[in-house]
Amino acid sequence: MLELLPLLFLFWEHRFLVLVFLVLLRVTQEPSNTPSLINRVIIPGHRVLPFSSPGKGFSDMQSTKAVVPRPATNTAVAPNTKPFALTIFLSAFLLFQVQLIVGKQLLPWFGGTPAVWNTCLVFFQLLLLAGYAYAHLVTVRLKAWNLTRTHIALLLISVVVLMVLAVRWRSPIFPGDNLRPQNPASPTWDIVLLLAASVGLPFFLLSTTGPLVQSWFTRSSPKASPYHLYALSNLGSLLGLLTYPFLFEPNLSLRNQGRIWTLAYLLFVLACMLCALRFAQDSTTTVASTVDETNGDTADEHPTRVQRLLWIGLAACGSTMLLSVTNLLCQEIAVVPFLWALPLSIYLVSFVLCFQEKRFYRRGIFLVLFVMTAVWGGVLFLQGEQVKVQTQLNGFGLLLFAACMVYHGELAMLKPNPRHLTSFYLHIASGGALGSVFVGLIAPHVFPAIWEFQLGLWASGLLLAVVLWRDKSSWLHNHPRWLSSAVALAVVAVADYIGVATTILHTKPLYFHILVAALAILTLVKIRTGRGTPALHPRTLQAVALCGWCLFGLLFWLQVHRQTRRSVLLTRNFYGTLRVTYDEPIAYRHALVLRHGLTLHGAQLQAPNLRRRPTTYYGPSGGIGLLLLNHPNRNEANAEARHLRLGVIGLGVGTLSAYGLPGDYIRFYEMNPEVVRLARGEKALFTYLNDSSAQTDVVIGDGRISLEQELTAGDPQKFDVLVIDAFSSDSIPLHLLTREAMSIYVQHLRNPRSILAFHVSNRSLDLRPVLLGLAQQERLQLVHVVVTKPHFDDETPSDWVLMALDPAILGTPAILRQGTTIQLPGPAPLWTDDYSNLLQVLR
């Protein structure tokens, strides 16, 4: 329990943030004069988002003219709203937190791969959808007291389950080590069963809270506006997202995170039970009758089938953009950890702005911004790696904001009569789930690269066109006469900029220059002669807009064409996108290069006399090259003693096998089957393994899990050198840098003269303090070898940390000339499977 002490200091260290939170909390308790809807939208990446809509119930659908009663003029909040506010806030906060906590707990068990997150995503998506379906059904079908008894019974059952698990497991929501699967090669069902057993029922009940509590509050306080709870729900979701990586994770172990979450869940249960009891006591009619009664309303208040499809489609567009932009930022152009929080925060903010009482969304402004940023995004794609990382972050971030504002703004304008509240939630949740499944599960099997972003953005333009077409008051039908020529000018200008004249039409660019100038003059003349004159033929603008939509698709097709044409191989699976290109790192030396996003995973020179030469991080002047070329065993008189047994976690292109001599044995551990296919076999593009003089072997699977299984089977590998090379990208596998992992590595070493070599070249993380803490824990000697200016042009700067129990093995002259010790101003951090903190190692 001493680990809980940092939490007490946490509030004092961040007292300013706490003060701001209290002010925001006070603001959100203020009543609203305009009603809105509350919802929590399923989004990808195992997260739940708050959702509400503006108060005035209108629809832009020409076929649906919902008449929504004016809100009560008495907006005084009922005297006892605290249980409702606390329930809304806690449910939003806990839903975000538990997904992050449990997901991090399962990573070391299943190798820390993206497939683990994808499996968790699918589980949480389906459970959230089930929660919304439950909320809709019980609200429509059950009477007040029956609903209350049912929900309270489920809440109490979840508490009993957590109490039993708290006794049997180390933490109420973390399974014990005895339930750890023994065969994680196909872990999907193991992950699903563990999630269902640990947090299935609590998560399901949390997901039902939004629509239920809002309807309860309305019944309990019919003269008070329930919609001020909307802002509180958004605040809870944002805090749940942002406080975990920056407050809870750095200061608490996973075990204590689970305990604190359980205590907060118990508080939620109490608050929810109070809300349910008050709802039942104040209700004099059945819940079902409140939905079925007409009260003079006309039949056309019911949402049409088209309107329901648009709910699903717009929600799916938002979730598709969120996940695809997250993939782009985190897999392709990632520069810092926690970058996934930026798109999610933008997504949340768009909901806040679109569904507040004073609607921030303005169709004309944001549609123009959306089109401009979409074209900018297309141009960024065409330019590819030539664009600076910061420019890409700004461009795609602004595009996501504009797109989500349009999707969610139009979704807010299509909201139904509040009587169809839970149905509205269910359709939006279904759309969010569809978008998540498309990006998270279908796209990696269909597209060889992250093309779902282009396809989703292009298809969403068609969906928005349908929305505007059905609204006879939109600018697609009513607009000034100069708008069609202005849009045509923009379309032709973009076509001229991307080179349609030469690449597609095979004509002179001069013709496009003349057309752009003519359209510019025509637009200026129309504006000068009749700025406010309406257009007589709206179909002109509609035809121009259709041409612009086709050009937008052409823009992304050009990007896809260039990406495939410039790649020797482009492939993708759960582990990400791999791209092999035929580059020229030196003017006269052609090389095949393997990249994962922007991370270089290795290169091989193609000249016959240079194919066995180690390159990039693994060259002769780097830390690993100096070690293998000058290893003391090579000078032994006994021929058998001169042989090295080498283990490598992370295959890459197999460069390290170039150091192998006859009699050596090199064992690689690689979890991505596509990487193995590229580096080994008759059809391999990289031939380091096939050309090596040493005996080589490749074990497919997570390196730590494979090593642990070998120990369990009584088969320690007795390595002379064990290389851990999995930290070059910015999404590092934390489970390879913990005390438990270090213990496994040490048990696989042959003797005190064996060496551990960690490759820590990284753009944004400094892992040296963590390695120093692990070395001190195992009482190992440590040498840091950093090379900023390699001796050879085909090498890259590298950063290596070497460890051994015997300091003499690290005392060779070549290593001493390049090696240094690691000095820290304070104690070195010690990461475990129960605790890690990336904020400690940010550069």
Side-chain angles (χ1 to χ4, degrees):
M1 298 302 292
L2 292 178
E3 296 185 38
L4 295 177
L5 291 178
L7 189 63
L8 302 177
F9 297 100
L10 190 62
F11 291 100
W12 175 251
E13 292 175 358
H14 300 278
R15 54 191 180 278
F16 177 75
L17 293 177
V18 174
L19 179 61
V20 172
F21 163 70
L22 293 176
V23 172
L24 290 174
L25 185 62
R26 178 69 183 111
V27 171
T28 57
Q29 293 294 334
E30 296 298 328
S32 168
N33 293 328
T34 308
S36 58
L37 300 177
I38 293 181
N39 188 24
R40 315 162 74 85
V41 179
I42 296 181
I43 65 152
H46 43 280
R47 289 175 268 276
V48 185
L49 299 181
F51 178 49
S52 68
S53 63
K56 295 183 179 181
F58 66 91
S59 172
D60 275 3
M61 304 294 293
Q62 188 70 14
S63 60
T64 304
K65 298 181 179 179
V67 180
V68 182
R70 301 281 298 180
T73 56
N74 179 15
T75 59
V77 181
N80 188 20
T81 62
K82 291 182 179 180
F84 298 97
L86 181 62
T87 305
I88 286 287
F89 176 84
L90 281 178
S91 63
F93 186 89
L94 294 176
L95 271 170
F96 266 98
Q97 289 269 314
V98 72
Q99 296 175 70
L100 300 173
I101 294 173
V102 177
K104 183 177 179 180
Q105 164 70 13
L106 293 181
L107 280 179
W109 285 20
F110 299 97
T113 69
V116 178
W117 290 108
N118 288 333
T119 305
C120 294
L121 161 67
V122 173
F123 174 82
F124 288 125
Q125 295 280 345
L126 295 178
L127 202 57
L128 283 165
L129 196 57
Y132 278 96
Y134 163 85
H136 176 65
L137 289 176
V138 298
T139 303
V140 171
R141 300 292 180 85
L142 298 183
K143 296 181 179 180
W145 274 107
N146 290 337
L147 190 159
T148 300
R149 294 188 187 99
T150 301
H151 203 67
I152 289 180
L154 290 175
L155 290 171
L156 293 177
I157 291 174
S158 70
V159 172
V160 172
V161 171
L162 287 176
M163 292 176 62
V164 173
L165 296 181
V167 175
R168 299 176 61 90
W169 295 348
R170 60 175 183 170
S171 182
I173 60 174
F174 293 153
D177 290 337
N178 59 323
L179 295 181
R180 182 171 180 170
Q182 298 300 316
N183 182 22
S186 300
T188 301
W189 288 110
D190 293 326
I191 295 174
V192 169
L193 292 176
L194 287 172
L195 289 172
S198 57
V199 297
L201 185 56
F203 190 91
F204 170 80
L205 293 173
L206 287 169
S207 67
T208 67
T209 303
L212 282 179
V213 171
Q214 183 183 356
S215 63
W216 293 349
F217 180 80
T218 302
R219 290 296 177 184
S220 300
S221 307
K223 294 184 179 181
S225 172
Y227 303 104
H228 63 279
L229 297 175
Y230 145 75
L232 190 62
S233 178
N234 284 277
L235 180 61
S237 300
L238 277 171
L239 286 176
L241 165 67
L242 298 176
T243 56
Y244 181 76
F246 297 106
L247 294 180
F248 289 96
E249 184 183 28
N251 295 278
L252 295 172
S253 65
L254 275 172
R255 181 179 302 182
N256 286 325
Q257 290 174 28
R259 291 169 178 169
I260 292 177
W261 186 91
T262 303
L263 293 176
Y265 180 78
L266 294 178
L267 181 61
F268 156 78
V269 169
L270 292 176
C272 195
M273 290 173 62
L274 288 176
C275 295
L277 290 173
R278 178 172 173 179
F279 154 70
Q281 292 172 354
D282 295 343
S283 296
T284 56
T285 59
T286 65
V287 178
S289 64
T290 63
V291 177
D292 295 334
E293 63 184 3
T294 60
N295 289 329
D297 293 335
T298 59
D300 63 354
E301 288 185 62
H302 292 276
T304 64
R305 180 176 299 178
V306 173
Q307 188 173 356
R308 294 177 186 273
L309 290 176
L310 289 177
W311 293 346
I312 296 175
L314 289 170
C317 287
S319 61
T320 299
M321 280 298 296
L322 172 63
L323 253 192
S324 57
V325 170
T326 302
N327 286 339
L328 281 174
L329 296 182
C330 296
Q331 293 187 24
E332 299 294 319
I333 59 175
V335 292
V336 293
F338 313 123
L339 195 58
W340 54 265
L342 175 62
L344 185 54
S345 300
I346 293 174
Y347 190 90
L348 280 168
V349 168
S350 69
F351 272 104
V352 174
L353 296 178
C354 290
F355 297 101
Q356 61 179 346
E357 59 179 79
K358 295 182 179 180
R359 187 159 47 91
F360 187 82
Y361 174 69
R362 298 293 183 269
R363 174 182 281 173
I365 296 175
F366 282 101
L367 276 176
V368 172
L369 181 61
F370 173 56
V371 172
M372 293 175 61
T373 54
V375 172
W376 187 16
V379 172
L380 290 178
F381 262 110
L382 280 179
Q383 295 176 347
E385 299 174 1
Q386 302 174 2
V387 184
K388 294 181 179 179
V389 170
Q390 188 61 47
T391 303
Q392 295 188 57
L393 288 175
N394 296 337
F396 290 118
L398 184 59
L399 171 57
L400 177 63
F401 173 73
C404 288
M405 285 297 299
V406 172
Y407 302 148
H408 300 155
E410 295 297 330
L411 188 61
M413 296 172 67
L414 292 174
K415 65 180 177 56
N417 187 288
R419 294 192 304 140
H420 307 288
L421 185 90
T422 54
S423 176
F424 187 45
Y425 297 162
L426 186 58
H427 283 80
I428 293 175
S430 301
L434 286 176
S436 303
V437 170
F438 169 66
V439 177
L441 298 182
I442 298 177
H445 295 283
V446 176
F447 305 130
I450 302 179
W451 295 347
E452 61 271 16
F453 169 79
Q454 298 96 312
L455 181 61
L457 196 60
W458 184 68
S460 69
L462 182 61
L463 182 64
L464 292 173
V466 172
V467 174
L468 296 176
W469 178 267
R470 293 179 60 84
D471 181 9
K472 301 304 179 182
S473 64
S474 70
W475 57 266
L476 202 58
H477 297 281
N478 301 295
H479 55 270
R481 65 172 188 166
W482 57 265
L483 186 59
S484 57
S485 57
V487 174
L489 172 62
V491 171
V492 176
V494 172
D496 186 24
Y497 179 79
I498 65 177
V500 171
T502 56
T503 59
I504 304 297
L505 301 179
H506 302 290
T507 185
K508 295 181 179 180
L510 178 62
Y511 299 147
F512 266 76
H513 300 341
I514 295 174
L515 184 58
V516 169
L519 288 173
I521 295 174
L522 177 62
T523 302
L524 291 176
V525 170
K526 285 187 175 182
I527 293 176
R528 291 284 295 176
T529 57
R531 177 178 302 178
T533 305
L536 298 178
H537 304 289
R539 293 190 182 278
T540 303
L541 177 60
Q542 295 166 7
V544 172
L546 178 61
C547 292
W549 180 71
C550 294
L551 177 64
F552 191 61
L554 177 63
L555 184 66
F556 287 123
W557 179 85
L558 285 175
Q559 183 269 329
V560 170
H561 177 68
R562 290 185 182 182
Q563 190 177 34
T564 54
R565 181 169 54 88
R566 296 176 180 177
S567 302
V568 177
L569 178 71
L570 193 63
T571 183
R572 181 184 181 187
N573 57 15
F574 274 126
Y575 304 99
T577 300
L578 295 174
R579 184 184 180 191
V580 179
T581 57
Y582 192 65
D583 292 348
E584 298 183 12
I586 309 172
Y588 56 94
R589 291 182 180 175
H590 299 268
L592 280 181
V593 179
L594 175 63
R595 290 186 177 90
H596 180 268
L598 292 183
T599 301
L600 177 63
H601 276 218
Q604 185 177 23
L605 300 173
Q606 295 303 292
N609 61 327
L610 298 174
R611 292 177 68 87
R612 296 191 180 188
R613 179 181 176 82
T615 60
T616 63
Y617 314 110
Y618 317 101
S621 61
I624 191 63
L626 294 173
L627 171 63
L628 295 178
L629 291 175
N630 300 276
H631 196 282
N633 284 17
R634 296 302 192 191
N635 300 321
E636 294 289 342
N638 187 345
E640 291 294 331
R642 288 197 296 267
H643 299 159
L644 289 179
R645 190 174 178 88
L646 178 65
V648 185
I649 296 179
L651 174 60
V653 300
T655 310
L656 289 180
S657 61
Y659 291 100
L661 299 178
D664 291 347
Y665 174 75
I666 305 178
R667 187 179 182 89
F668 290 93
Y669 298 88
E670 174 57 51
M671 65 181 179
N672 191 341
E674 285 296 319
V675 173
V676 178
R677 184 174 65 86
L678 294 176
R680 188 185 187 188
E682 296 180 357
K683 298 182 179 180
L685 294 178
F686 300 91
T687 61
Y688 279 120
L689 268 68
N690 295 337
D691 297 340
S692 178
S693 300
Q695 178 187 351
T696 61
D697 195 7
V698 178
V699 178
I700 299 178
D702 177 75
R704 172 178 166 176
I705 293 178
S706 299
L707 290 171
E708 190 173 7
Q709 289 178 339
E710 290 169 352
L711 287 178
T712 304
D715 185 25
Q717 293 301 307
K718 299 180 180 180
F719 292 123
D720 296 298
V721 179
L722 177 57
V723 180
I724 296 90
D725 178 24
F727 311 115
S728 298
S729 67
D730 297 293
S731 300
I732 64 171
L734 297 180
H735 70 292
L736 298 181
L737 284 173
T738 64
R739 178 181 59 196
E740 294 80 359
M742 193 69 174
S743 175
I744 296 173
Y745 304 152
V746 171
Q747 294 180 66
H748 275 282
L749 299 180
R750 183 190 299 272
N751 52 46
R753 291 170 55 84
S754 299
I755 299 174
L756 289 174
F758 291 84
H759 182 205
V760 293
S761 302
N762 196 285
R763 293 170 291 182
S764 54
L765 300 174
D766 183 7
L767 300 174
R768 294 173 301 167
V770 178
L771 293 176
L772 179 59
L774 295 175
Q776 292 173 350
Q777 175 72 19
E778 295 291 337
R779 299 180 180 180
L780 301 177
Q781 302 299 314
L782 179 147
V783 173
H784 176 221
V785 183
V786 58
V787 177
T788 57
K789 296 181 179 180
H791 299 327
F792 303 97
D793 294 335
D794 52 10
E795 297 183 43
T796 56
S798 62
D799 197 346
W800 290 85
V801 174
L802 310 178
M803 301 181 192
L805 187 60
D806 183 1
I809 198 69
L810 300 176
T812 58
I815 294 178
L816 289 179
R817 282 194 298 267
Q818 294 285 345
T820 61
T821 60
I822 298 177
Q823 302 293 334
L824 299 179
L830 180 62
W831 288 3
T832 67
D833 287 346
D834 199 41
Y835 172 80
S836 60
N837 178 14
L838 281 177
L839 294 178
Q840 295 174 327
V841 295
L842 284 178
R843 291 190 184 275

